[in-house]
Amino acid sequence: MDAGLNTGCATEGAGRRVVIAGGGYAGTTLAVKLAKAMRPDDDLEIMLIEPNPCQQALSELDLVAVGPPRPEFCELWHPTVFKDLPVTVCYDRVDDVRAKEHVVLVGPRDGEKREVGYWRLVIATGAIAFVPPVPGLAEHAVTMWSVADAQELQRRIEAQFRIAARLPDAASRRRALTFVVVGGGATGIEIVGTLGQMLPKRMRSFGLDPADLRVVLVEGRPDILYDLPQSLREKAKRRLARLSVELRLGSMVSAVEDGLLKLADGSVIDAPVLVFCGGAKADPDAIGWGLEADPSGRLVSGPDLKVPGHDDVYAVGDVAAFRDPADNRTLPMLAQFAIREAEHLAESILREARGEPPEPFHPHMHGEFVSIGPSWGVGWALRWHLTGLPAIVMKRLTYALYWWIVGGIPLAWRRTREMLAMQR
Ligand SMILES: Cc1cc2nc3c(=O)[nH]c(=O)nc-3n(C[C@H](O)[C@H](O)[C@H](O)COP(=O)(O)OP(=O)(O)OC[C@H]3O[C@@H](n4cnc5c(N)ncnc54)[C@H](O)[C@@H]3O)c2cc1C
């Protein structure tokens, strides 16, 4: 751990300590909003518990994987964001929750733990990639849920470039340069689109001919991007066709072995590099903390974002299953909901500190954008459907909004410049 980091994991009795487990989109937004809005007479102490000093740039993993190599890629650095705010950041992990005693246990999985008491506890520990029990899949595929995953994909891509550069015949080069993505949701489409757009350029820099490249998307359902309207899905497919991405829709994966992807219909695809983007599941540790979970393993989050049966415990973001009262459907795992839940929760905690009850949360989806390659997107906002450059601009603006919420203009400006540099 960097000696310069504030590692203030105080264990003394809490007055009105708000403990936030997890410093991703939800936890960071909540800590910033609460710190900025609280008054001295609210008598609140904010403690954010997060093992990493850097919030990973999950929504830019495609650029990390296919773009020029760089050591790390951060959405933001917590020590910078919290340097002037009354937030104690404890760079550690929550190991357990003892809700009856109003304490969390903090410390490494196999090491000594410290008790930290809370007045309010917010669980915002996110999600991890889910890989179904298909033979060979977990062993051979790269998932896409962390910068480490994206760097692993980058390593495998470059290894294949080096192998292909030594192969004399075009057929074996094409086999070595086949990249397969499984999963036609937003994550899979963003990865496959970036592979389709950026790999030809990267291949040239390795002395390879882009004509030898093959990029394949495999999806079990008959279509892609089910969250988008039909007309936008068609545009997305036309864009993928222009990038020469082969679509294998309605194809279930049955096994992976020896660089081959086997499909349930008996066909086989060369897959020396395989990316699995078939789903995510809530932080599995949180399930063991004795709180109510839904059948998918997400912690149940009631109308006011409280965990049922615990008046002082909230769950927000990907780890939480919040049902939208408008249609009774559980909110999808999206940063935009994690951020909005956190903003609402900051108000609720302040209301409670001032003796008022929290208000129910009413989510609204204002839009959704998916990039297909770094310079083209598809999506909607309010009642407008957008494609191409306007859609990608809208998508990047949503990131800039987050950076502005947590770090003001300096962070928004710096991160925007970094992102533009990655796309070159
Ligand atoms: C490749 C990819 C692309 C995406 N693109 C988009 C997009 O374009 N738009 C969009 O809206 N959403 C997108 N998402 C989804 C979005 O990233 C998530 O919905 C969002 O990260 C959820 O925020 P969160 O705060 O709940 O969890 P996270 O941001 O994952 O943060 C969870 C934090 O909890 C910490 N943590 C975990 N366990 C513990 C513990 N025991 N103790 C303490 N801390 C812990 C973790 O270190 C992490 O920092 C994308 C996701 C991926 C993987």
Side-chain angles (χ1 to χ4, degrees):
M1 188 72 56
D2 187 322
L5 296 179
N6 171 7
T7 52
C9 312
T11 52
E12 305 83 51
R16 281 178 157 187
R17 181 183 294 145
V18 178
V19 169
I20 304 168
Y25 288 94
T28 304
T29 306
L30 173 61
V32 169
K33 284 274 169 188
L34 206 47
K36 286 185 176 168
M38 70 185 188
R39 299 190 305 240
D41 59 336
D42 291 326
D43 191 26
L44 291 180
E45 176 197 336
I46 307 166
M47 180 188 285
L48 176 67
I49 305 178
E50 161 63 50
N52 304 302
C54 159
Q55 185 190 336
Q56 304 194 51
L58 291 183
S59 48
E60 289 153 65
L61 292 188
D62 54 329
L63 298 175
V64 179
V66 195
R70 50 182 293 159
E72 99 289 301
F73 200 70
C74 283
E75 191 81 68
L76 48 88
W77 283 94
H78 288 115
T80 311
V81 169
F82 293 112
K83 102 176 133 44
D84 298 322
L85 291 174
V87 175
T88 305
V89 188
C90 168
Y91 293 101
D92 211 327
R93 59 183 287 281
V94 170
D95 186 71
D96 201 358
V97 174
R98 292 199 183 143
K100 280 193 191 132
E101 296 150 51
H102 314 283
V103 296
V104 292
L105 295 190
V106 177
R109 228 174 270 279
D110 303 318
E112 202 183 321
K113 320 277 188 291
R114 298 176 305 287
E115 285 190 359
V116 176
Y118 60 81
W119 173 70
R120 292 290 179 270
L121 170 65
V122 180
I123 300 174
T125 51
I128 61 168
F130 167 71
V131 182
V134 170
L137 188 58
E139 292 83 348
H140 295 285
V142 190
T143 53
M144 211 32 65
W145 207 270
S146 65
V147 172
D149 288 340
Q151 287 170 332
E152 173 61 17
L153 175 56
Q154 184 174 68
R155 198 189 59 72
R156 292 190 192 189
I157 290 171
E158 290 180 2
Q160 288 309 115
F161 283 178
R162 280 190 284 274
I163 290 170
R166 292 196 301 268
L167 295 172
D169 66 299
S172 1
R173 274 202 306 276
R174 191 160 165 78
R175 259 201 307 281
L177 293 170
T178 300
F179 301 91
V180 181
V181 176
V182 177
T187 310
I189 294 298
E190 293 200 344
I191 289 288
V192 88
T194 303
L195 290 172
Q197 183 174 332
M198 290 182 80
L199 281 189
K201 190 171 155 196
R202 298 225 59 215
M203 284 170 69
R204 278 188 209 100
S205 70
F206 276 73
L208 294 163
D209 180 356
D212 292 335
L213 174 67
R214 185 179 177 210
V215 181
V216 187
L217 177 85
V218 176
E219 164 58 46
R221 294 193 286 178
D223 207 350
I224 59 168
L225 296 175
Y226 271 92
D227 292 336
L228 293 183
Q230 181 71 43
S231 62
L232 293 179
R233 286 187 233 159
E234 296 306 321
K235 288 182 176 163
K237 282 185 283 189
R238 285 204 288 279
R239 163 74 177 168
L240 290 170
R242 278 201 299 280
L243 294 174
S244 305
V245 174
E246 276 176 54
L247 295 187
R248 297 291 295 261
L249 305 182
S251 301
M252 296 299 292
V253 176
S254 60
V256 186
E257 56 188 52
D258 299 331
L260 297 175
L261 182 71
K262 300 186 171 177
L263 301 179
D265 64 6
S267 58
V268 173
I269 304 175
D270 287 311
V273 176
L274 177 63
V275 189
F276 185 78
C277 302
K281 63 176 180 183
D283 167 32
D285 288 346
I287 288 288
W289 294 343
L291 305 167
E292 188 179 335
D294 79 350
S296 77
R298 293 171 84 181
L299 298 182
V300 174
S301 179
D304 50 8
L305 302 168
K306 289 193 188 201
V307 173
H310 300 278
D311 201 40
D312 54 0
V313 182
Y314 293 92
V316 287
D318 285 358
V319 75
F322 178 87
R323 279 182 185 276
D324 185 343
D327 57 12
N328 205 31
R329 288 170 61 180
T330 302
L331 292 185
M333 292 181 180
L334 284 175
Q336 59 170 303
F337 289 124
I339 293 166
R340 259 181 243 134
E341 287 173 358
E343 289 178 319
H344 179 86
L345 186 50
E347 286 170 25
S348 293
I349 289 175
L350 286 176
R351 286 177 66 86
E352 290 195 293
R354 293 164 192 172
E356 297 159 36
E359 292 192 330
F361 174 59
H362 292 282
H364 297 288
M365 185 123 179
H366 299 300
E368 186 178 7
F369 292 93
V370 178
S371 60
I372 305 181
S375 56
W376 200 96
V378 59
W380 63 274
L382 304 172
R383 268 175 286 137
W384 293 297
H385 288 185
L386 300 174
T387 48
L389 187 65
I392 205 76
V393 169
M394 285 299 292
K395 184 173 166 71
R396 306 298 184 219
L397 279 177
T398 60
Y399 301 162
L401 181 65
Y402 172 65
W403 301 326
W404 177 73
I405 288 172
V406 295
I409 290 171
L411 180 67
W413 174 237
R414 184 172 58 72
R415 289 287 289 105
T416 302
R417 276 189 331 205
E418 277 177 10
M419 196 172 56
L420 291 175
M422 297 240 343
Q423 289 183 219
R424 269 182 227 127

